[in-house]
Amino acid sequence: MELNKLTLIESFEGLRDKKFSSLEITKDCFKQIKKFDDKVKAYITLNEDGALVKAKEVDKKIKSGESISPLAGIPVIVKDLFCTAGLKTTGASKILENYIPPFDATAVAKLKNEDAVILGKVNCDEFAMGGSTENSGFFPTHNPWDLERVPGGSSGGSAAALSADMGIYALGTDTGGSIREPASFCGTSGIKVSYGRVSRYGVLAMTSSLDTIGTFGKTVEDIAVILKYMAGRDEKDSTTLDVPVDNYSEEIKKDIKGLKVGLPKEYFVDGMDESVRDAVLGAAKKLEEMGAEVIDINLPHTDLAVAAYYIICPCEVSSNMARFDGIKYGFSQRDKNKDLLDIYLDSRANGFGAEVKRRIMIGTYALSAGYYDAYYKKAMQIRTLVRQDFDEAFKDVDVILTPVAPTPAYKLGEKIGDPLKMYLEDVFTIPASLAGICGLVVPAGLANNLPVGIQLLGKRFDEKTVLRAGHQYQLVTDWHKQRPKL
Ligand code: GLN
């Protein structure tokens, strides 16, 4: 049996019952990586030695009869945006191509505390700016379902590696859709948590007022287990709130009879693919059969969200990217230039890719005197309206069911030359980000052998309800069990 194909829960049960060892699962993951990652190109850095040492350590614990955590000895894929002590962390940017952090992001530290095995660091759009992983400073990642297509982004490496069974679960980040869109394109489950639910300490910042971190899993049940360990207040991230963390694994067992599911009419737009519409309406029907009540709702400011996001995000990017100056870490043109300003200019001109530069320029412009009120302030006002839309809607419904992206995975190169086309892919994921609420994506269809996901949005900090709806849906469907033919 290829152990890399197991879910997290299956892996845990097998380890606990001594059916196989952590070393065996870990080795099978690396076998898969060596076999297919030449084509998929998900990994930037492998942690083979470190992973094998950790796996042996966990096996020893199991042998000696110690009780183990549900995450112990199980291999995880980590987006290269999370700092990992002693292991290269690039943010898929040339400007950090040789950066080895001296510390772990809190999310990584929490998993390490549970004895997780880190397989390596995977590709993404540079500093998470993008929706296809083509904006990586190194190479694009390919979708395992069709190697000529994008895996989505920015967490495309995480979704691609997981769907190709090059790991058991994966960490990602989501600012405007970066977990949800790749999950949909690669046929995995993935959660964007509420703003403030999981610590972002040690994760490279893109848009600090929107950045969230979350996980991809082969099942929603797996995500419920992982999230329990990642969520909660962290003194090192003042945006995390001290809201109790639910027992997700228990909560998801409850059925969804009487659950009120909202279907927003603004999310059915012209130009969206039939397969996407079918997946959402099919899921609505299924949820209804399971006892949920599907209700039509309105989210009237949806069409303004993309425009507001693409002001707010660049504004914050222009400030967050200022720290990369070629002096403290990473790529530097220090040796070639004597003058400090020349070092800055040369390092940044050669270290950042086109999309990062585009956002720095847009953000700097939008924040400058005379334009601030016209752009940034307006965008923030729209953000409030979008949030109020959701507040209103959640007075009547428990979850909101929507599409994830207007189309299934598109071809590499198809949109990269046209930033506007690329930004419009985010129309269904950005509103929830602006509102700070949570969203779960689960596979819900196949169109020409390409996966199509659906999005279940929940109130802020109500991860338990979207996880419950997603898990109950997976109990009666098998879209999440489909795998690409590699
Ligand atoms: N595609 C969006 C962007 O380019 C979202 C990215 C993200 O969530 N990190 O900004």
Side-chain angles (χ1 to χ4, degrees):
M1 181 180 186
E2 295 161 283
L3 300 172
N4 53 304
K5 297 202 165 152
L6 297 177
T7 66
L8 175 79
I9 292 181
E10 289 164 351
S11 307
F12 167 67
E13 288 170 355
L15 287 174
R16 184 198 55 198
D17 302 342
K18 301 195 174 76
K19 290 202 177 117
F20 44 75
S21 67
S22 166
L23 192 64
E24 286 171 308
I25 313 180
T26 307
K27 280 189 171 163
D28 278 358
C29 288
F30 282 111
K31 219 188 264 167
Q32 184 82 348
I33 293 168
K34 283 179 189 144
K35 211 159 151 195
F36 294 112
D37 204 37
D38 262 3
K39 293 191 220 157
V40 176
K41 298 204 150 305
Y43 280 87
I44 294 177
T45 305
L46 290 180
N47 180 40
E48 192 161 2
D49 292 345
L52 296 176
V53 167
K54 185 78 211 174
K56 284 181 201 157
E57 205 181 292
V58 175
D59 285 337
K60 234 190 223 161
K61 280 192 185 178
I62 298 172
K63 230 186 191 161
S64 70
E66 256 182 70
S67 77
I68 54 158
S69 154
L71 302 184
I74 300 173
V76 53
I77 301 155
V78 181
K79 185 179 186 177
D80 212 12
L81 216 63
F82 292 74
C83 284
T84 40
L87 188 62
K88 201 170 69 167
T89 299
T90 68
S93 180
K94 264 173 47 192
I95 211 157
L96 287 182
E97 71 185 347
N98 54 13
Y99 174 54
I100 299 180
F103 70 110
D104 281 318
T106 294
V108 171
K110 282 186 168 184
L111 298 187
K112 279 189 177 171
N113 270 342
E114 303 304 317
D115 282 331
V117 172
I118 294 177
L119 290 170
K121 309 292 292 291
V122 288
N123 205 12
C124 53
D125 288 297
E126 185 173 6
F127 291 115
M129 293 178 217
S132 67
T133 314
E134 291 166 292
N135 289 339
S136 163
F138 306 123
F139 46 79
T141 296
H142 299 246
N143 190 319
W145 290 81
D146 176 348
L147 294 168
E148 284 177 17
R149 290 179 188 266
V150 301
S154 66
S155 312
S158 307
L162 186 64
S163 86
D165 289 309
M166 299 181 196
I168 306 295
Y169 65 102
L171 295 190
T173 66
D174 189 315
T175 304
S178 276
I179 287 180
R180 290 164 287 162
E181 192 224 35
S184 180
F185 282 9
C186 293
T188 74
S189 304
I191 193 164
K192 173 228 178 282
V193 299
S194 311
Y195 189 76
R197 178 74 291 182
V198 174
S199 169
R200 303 169 306 167
Y201 174 75
V203 179
L204 304 176
M206 199 256 273
T207 309
S208 306
S209 76
L210 297 167
D211 293 342
T212 61
I213 71 168
T215 80
F216 295 87
K218 294 179 187 176
T219 63
V220 172
E221 221 180 352
D222 280 3
I223 291 178
V225 174
I226 306 153
L227 193 56
K228 174 95 181 119
Y229 289 98
M230 290 190 13
R233 166 86 183 143
D234 175 18
E235 288 304 318
K236 292 178 181 152
D237 176 355
S238 59
T239 64
T240 52
L241 295 188
D242 202 3
V243 175
V245 177
D246 295 302
N247 188 343
Y248 302 120
S249 299
E250 280 305 311
E251 292 288 339
I252 63 173
K253 290 183 187 154
K254 300 175 186 162
D255 67 35
I256 57 163
K257 288 200 181 75
L259 189 82
K260 293 202 170 91
V261 179
L263 210 53
K265 86 165 193 312
E266 293 79 2
Y267 280 66
F268 293 87
V269 296
D270 284 345
M272 102 189 214
D273 207 81
E274 273 310 302
S275 62
V276 173
R277 187 184 300 266
D278 290 352
V280 178
L281 296 179
K285 200 160 156 241
K286 193 91 215 160
L287 294 171
E288 223 161 22
E289 281 165 26
M290 294 159 67
E293 190 186 336
V294 178
I295 302 163
D296 288 328
I297 59 163
N298 285 100
L299 294 166
H301 297 95
T302 300
D303 62 337
L304 302 177
V306 170
Y309 173 92
Y310 279 100
I311 292 294
I312 296 167
C313 165
C315 286
E316 296 191 33
V317 162
S318 71
S319 145
N320 271 328
M321 294 298 121
R323 75 194 59 164
F324 302 108
D325 54 9
I327 302 291
K328 294 189 207 74
Y329 24 61
F331 176 88
S332 175
Q333 297 293 73
R334 201 177 188 143
D335 304 339
K336 293 196 195 139
N337 295 284
K338 287 207 183 73
D339 184 80
L340 184 64
L341 185 63
D342 285 341
I343 298 174
Y344 289 163
L345 293 175
D346 206 357
S347 302
R348 289 167 67 86
N350 292 296
F352 287 141
E355 183 62 24
V356 175
K357 288 179 191 161
R358 183 177 298 123
R359 293 194 196 195
I360 292 173
M361 286 188 278
I362 294 173
T364 309
Y365 179 82
L367 286 176
S368 57
Y371 295 102
Y372 180 94
D373 282 355
Y375 296 111
Y376 186 72
K377 197 171 151 206
K378 271 272 168 288
M380 292 303 273
Q381 286 167 334
I382 291 172
R383 181 176 185 166
T384 303
L385 293 174
V386 170
R387 205 194 57 229
Q388 286 170 348
D389 280 357
F390 281 108
D391 289 346
E392 275 306 307
F394 282 127
K395 285 182 184 158
D396 301 322
V397 298
D398 304 302
V399 298
I400 297 175
L401 169 65
T402 79
V404 185
T407 60
Y410 48 88
K411 290 244 165 86
L412 282 147
E414 194 178 318
K415 294 183 200 274
I416 193 73
D418 187 343
L420 258 188
K421 259 194 197 161
M422 202 70 141
Y423 298 168
L424 286 171
E425 278 289 311
D426 304 336
V427 12
F428 303 138
T429 48
I430 278 176
S433 299
L434 292 180
I437 60 175
C438 59
L440 174 75
V441 166
V442 292
L446 275 180
N448 297 324
N449 202 36
L450 292 174
V452 182
I454 50 160
Q455 174 172 239
L456 293 159
L457 300 174
K459 293 174 205 149
R460 190 157 175 219
F461 291 103
D462 197 18
E463 279 78 7
K464 67 174 186 306
T465 304
V466 291
L467 289 169
R468 167 159 68 107
H471 171 62
Q472 294 295 321
Y473 177 76
Q474 290 190 336
L475 288 179
V476 294
T477 55
D478 61 7
W479 298 114
H480 60 292
K481 293 185 185 149
Q482 312 294 321
R483 281 283 173 282
K485 289 172 194 67
L486 278 164

